[in-house]
Amino acid sequence: MATQSNPYADFHRQCVEASQSWSEQLGDNLRWLDDARSEGRSLFAGLELPTRKTEAWRYTPIAPIVQGDILRLRTTESADAPQGITGDFYTLTFHNGQLAASNIDDSALEVIPFSSADAAGQALIKEYLGKTFDAARHPFAALNAGTLQDGALIRVRKDSKALKPVQIVHTADVSGEAASSYNRVIVVVESGAKLELLETYVDTHERKVFQNTVTEVFLAANSTMTHYALNCEGANQIHTGCVFIEQQGGSHYEQHAFATGGALKRRDINVKLLGQLASCKLNGVYLAGGREHVDFHTTIEHVAPHCVSEETYKGIINGKGKAVFNGRVHIHRDAQQSSAAMNNNNLLLTNTAEVNTKPELEIYADDVKCAHGATVGQLDDMALFYFQSRGITRSDAHRMLSRAFVESVMAEMEIETAHAYVLELAERFYNEGAQEATA
Amino acid sequence: MSTPENSVDQYIKREYQAGFITDIESEALEPGLNEDVIRFISAKKNEPEFMLNWRLKAYREWLNMVEPQWAHVHYPKIDFNDIIYYSAPKSQKDGPKSLDEVDPELLKTYEKLGIPLHERAALAGVAVDAVFDSVSVATTFKEKLSEAGVIFCSISEAVRNHPELVEKYLGSVVPVRDNYFAALNSAVFSDGSFVYIPKGVRCPMELSTYFRINAAKTGQFERTLIIADEGSYVSYLEGCTAPMRDENQLHAAVVELVALEGAEIKYSTVQNWYPGDEEGKGGIYNFVTKRGLCAGAHSKISWTQVETGSAITWKYPSVVLKGDHSVGEFYSVALTNNLQQADTGTKMIHMGKHTRSTIISKGISAGRSDSSYRGLVRIAPNAENARNYTQCDSLLIGSKCGAHTFPYIESKNNSAVVEHEATTSKVSDEQLFLCRQRGIDAERAVSMIVNGFCKEVFKELPMEFAVEAGKLLEVSLEGSVG
């Protein structure tokens, strides 16, 4: 391929320079990460920033990041930051990308913040850091590796379970100039252990923030993890988040993703089923209104035989919103007796809304059951009429039908407080949709 | 579960039945491509100046383009300067006036292939514009067609005799810089078919062209243009076989269809080119651009294809649904075996209001082959109430093959409804068990199941082709039937 000049080359260079100077400014307590950072940075420098010609970014222009004036880290502490979900959780907060607070106190859990890791902790972190992904294929994960502002490793001890779910809140100051943050979460669930983890990305109101996160999950044999990834950002926020999951035999991983708000939101979820009888379930709901842009890219790799994966993503797009879904299931040659099901359903509420969906299957084994489905449509006029003929206003009917469309997925969230939290945000979204539709 | 594998083994060992080389003298250029070659081709065909300019423009565009890499296929790099761009059977100065003038070797070739050229053509009710390498040698049923006002001739003739139609429509659906191979074709296309159906005419018979690649190292660059004027109807059949040889042959054809208001074009293909031997040696590279434009309201274009040949297939028959209420259809069976690779599918571009499209794709992979479905359904902002239904199913036979699906759905209109479904499976033990329980032996059961799997597509083929397609699959399953 002939290399054409990349329109983002300037920004790319600035990114590398900024990342370099940030690394130098970070405290001595993070010096031990210097090697990992410079490795990540040189990788990132060698990559091209994705353009519309990059297949994985075909529908998601990174212009909001480039034009975002976000190449700034913010370290000043301010109490004025939105909180995550209130509930009976252990909470760990990243404020402006730096670990601010943690109230975890549980014999089943070991939490090692990058910024205060002792030698043993550092060794443990290095054992897992960056092991789940090929940074050359994920430019923003490479940028994350090159900057590594802070992070934490959470380990659940063998055959044990924490008393409460763990919530990681990614927050930032509500006022001030635009800035970016880069942190890493590593989760290690040892064999037979269980973990419920919430990652909450909260609304920082009008402030422009670029959040770049990477979560790496290692599930040992027969372990179980339920992961809530709740992206509830404000209108100006930009988010690129990668989640990489490696599953050993008999383990089960479940993710409930929810995304609303944000100028640009890109989530990459990559699951590798490495041991026999591992299973995973990815649920997702995205609600994009206004000028929001939501992009979910998921990859499930069936490496070992007898694994099961199940994926359901539903989205409602309103206003001038745009949604992208790219689901990929890859069945490796030896992964016989695999079962994979993928579904993506979209509802377009306005004729300015847009959705691009691409459910892919890549199959190299014959004894498998794979199916995928995708639909794009609108609310059924007959259904709306049915409601109206029974005295329910059109806007109420609109709201109820929207709710019904995604609720089947959201209802699978077992943590009540989390479900209620996203339900409230979703309700706001349905109201806007109903108002626009009946205005 | 030894039976389906048996059938695969049989298929793998089956000799390529249409494999033979006809030894006739060709008037060929030296391998290589430059502007002089294009001038030579154009002069050779007595083309008007606009054609030469068009070819040169395409060539200059092509020079600046890059060979696409996105398809899920692998092949050694093609040396475009090692290809002969023009080869014509000799003694063609004024064209044969009757079959007697046609080189008997040529006729033998057709006979071996069972092409109904003279009496057989009449029996089959098919008008054949047979393309042997690059020049049309014989055309039948001309009178009957011209009575109806239908123009059915080689594209070189059309360039000379109907330049106004060619100039207006050539490249209107597939522009010269559409893609790498289409640009190359535009620059060097040697021959092909041209069809024009006048207003309100229902073409009295099914039109058919048999393509055949013959002279060694000749890239075949066919160009087909079919124009259905308002309210007309035509069904066009295309079938291909090629002689066995060990060097890869490039085939980069372009097919353009234009359906004006209320017109309908049905285009059916059975493609059985040499797929290469068991080691994947030889075989045709089939890089084809096929696209139809539903230009007028209530027009309809339907593509049906049965793809069993070629080492590599890279082909996406598409429909641009521009006219309101226009309809696009795509029915496909793609069978790959040994080391064959197929990346095929369709594009349905909905631009007009109330446009509808249906995609039914069936992929069967055996041996160590790879087959991919790659499709795009795009709903433009003005395509009110557009409707698409896509179904793509894959059947895997053997544990070393691959089946992939890459569907792109882009919707920019909220009144549109797009549905996509895909499944991948193998002939399941349960299905086999059920058949055997009822006294059907396993081999027949496999054949039944595979035929049933493809039935939705076969029923769209015209009679003659349905028989041929059925036969092709039958041969591939011969081992299991007995």
Side-chain angles (χ1 to χ4, degrees), chain A residues 1-2 4 55 58-59 322 328 333 336 348-379, chain B residues 66-67 69 72 370 376 378 381 384-385 392 396-426:
Chain A
M1 296 288 283
Q4 283 155 341
E55 182 62 26
R58 186 184 167 97
Y59 301 114
K322 276 186 188 159
R328 180 167 159 258
R333 185 122 288 162
Q336 298 292 0
L348 296 180
L349 295 184
T350 58
N351 56 14
T352 44
E354 181 182 331
V355 65
N356 297 297
T357 167
K358 187 176 160 212
E360 292 175 54
L361 292 175
E362 211 169 311
I363 297 165
Y364 297 94
D366 66 331
D367 194 5
V368 298
K369 261 190 208 144
C370 294
H372 68 202
T375 60
V376 181
Q378 58 179 334
L379 287 181
Chain B
V66 190
E67 203 177 325
Q69 304 285 328
H72 196 90
D370 262 310
L376 167 69
R378 177 180 289 155
E384 296 287 332
N385 294 316
C392 49
L396 293 144
I397 304 176
S399 56
K400 286 181 179 135
C401 51
H404 321 295
T405 322
F406 308 100
Y408 293 72
I409 301 168
E410 304 177 4
S411 178
K412 293 190 179 173
N413 188 297
N414 69 326
S415 62
V417 177
V418 183
E419 283 174 283
H420 175 96
E421 267 179 60
T423 60
T424 301
S425 54
K426 65 168 197 166

Side-chain angles (χ1 to χ4, degrees), chain B residues 259-294:
Chain B
L260 301 179
E261 195 176 327
E264 179 177 347
I265 302 175
K266 190 170 167 62
Y267 195 104
S268 316
T269 310
V270 170
Q271 189 260 108
N272 183 29
W273 280 342
Y274 182 53
D277 64 14
E278 282 174 41
E279 297 310 310
K281 211 173 162 216
I284 305 289
Y285 288 0
N286 188 22
F287 300 149
V288 180
T289 308
K290 288 186 168 177
R291 192 174 306 153
L293 171 67
C294 282

Side-chain angles (χ1 to χ4, degrees), chain A residues 102-154:
Chain A
S102 160
N103 65 353
I104 300 181
D105 179 20
D106 193 308
S107 62
L109 296 176
E110 186 180 1
V111 177
I112 310 168
F114 288 10
S115 44
S116 57
D118 57 13
Q122 292 175 8
L124 189 68
I125 290 166
K126 279 186 174 167
E127 195 183 312
Y128 290 105
L129 186 73
K131 291 295 184 295
T132 47
F133 64 97
D134 173 10
R137 305 178 65 155
H138 298 275
F140 289 99
L143 176 60
N144 180 290
T147 309
L148 280 182
Q149 201 183 351
D150 204 348
L153 180 144
I154 299 173

Side-chain angles (χ1 to χ4, degrees), chain A residues 58-249:
Chain A
R58 186 184 167 97
Y59 301 114
T60 301
I62 61 163
I65 301 175
V66 176
Q67 293 151 9
D69 181 33
I70 42 90
L71 287 180
R72 196 176 292 115
L73 285 193
R74 204 176 155 92
T75 46
T76 46
E77 290 283 328
S78 137
D80 187 20
Q83 302 300 307
I85 305 170
T86 11
D88 193 17
F89 307 127
Y90 291 123
T91 304
L92 199 114
T93 307
F94 284 101
H95 188 146
N96 295 335
Q98 289 178 304
L99 190 64
S102 160
N103 65 353
I104 300 181
D105 179 20
D106 193 308
S107 62
L109 296 176
E110 186 180 1
V111 177
I112 310 168
F114 288 10
S115 44
S116 57
D118 57 13
Q122 292 175 8
L124 189 68
I125 290 166
K126 279 186 174 167
E127 195 183 312
Y128 290 105
L129 186 73
K131 291 295 184 295
T132 47
F133 64 97
D134 173 10
R137 305 178 65 155
H138 298 275
F140 289 99
L143 176 60
N144 180 290
T147 309
L148 280 182
Q149 201 183 351
D150 204 348
L153 180 144
I154 299 173
R155 179 154 71 159
V156 191
R157 294 199 170 88
K158 195 167 183 282
D159 295 325
S160 55
K161 181 182 190 288
L163 296 172
K164 296 190 257 184
V166 177
Q167 179 183 211
I168 299 175
V169 182
H170 298 266
T171 187
D173 297 346
V174 288
S175 55
E177 55 196 346
S180 51
S181 67
Y182 307 84
N183 38 59
R184 177 80 53 108
V185 174
I186 298 172
V187 180
V188 180
V189 185
E190 294 189 337
S191 64
K194 273 189 178 160
L195 176 69
E196 282 182 295
L197 178 79
L198 292 93
E199 282 195 87
T200 318
Y201 306 86
V202 294
D203 182 1
T204 54
H205 306 293
E206 289 311 298
R207 195 167 143 248
K208 191 173 272 175
V209 175
F210 170 48
Q211 247 175 1
N212 176 324
T213 65
V214 172
T215 307
E216 296 185 78
V217 176
F218 298 84
L219 297 186
N222 302 318
S223 60
T224 306
M225 175 169 168
T226 311
H227 190 176
Y228 291 70
L230 312 174
N231 282 78
C232 315
E233 288 103 336
N236 283 326
Q237 270 164 283
I238 302 161
H239 173 92
T240 62
C242 296
V243 187
F244 301 95
I245 301 114
E246 280 191 5
Q247 290 187 249
Q248 299 303 328

Side-chain angles (χ1 to χ4, degrees), chain A residues 369-406:
Chain A
K369 261 190 208 144
C370 294
H372 68 202
T375 60
V376 181
Q378 58 179 334
L379 287 181
D380 185 359
D381 257 339
M382 291 300 286
L384 284 169
F385 176 76
Y386 181 86
F387 273 95
Q388 284 179 281
S389 69
R390 270 145 188 83
I392 295 162
T393 64
R394 196 173 171 85
S395 72
D396 276 345
H398 201 278
R399 203 173 296 128
M400 285 155 110
L401 285 168
S402 304
R403 188 184 300 135
F405 183 73
V406 290

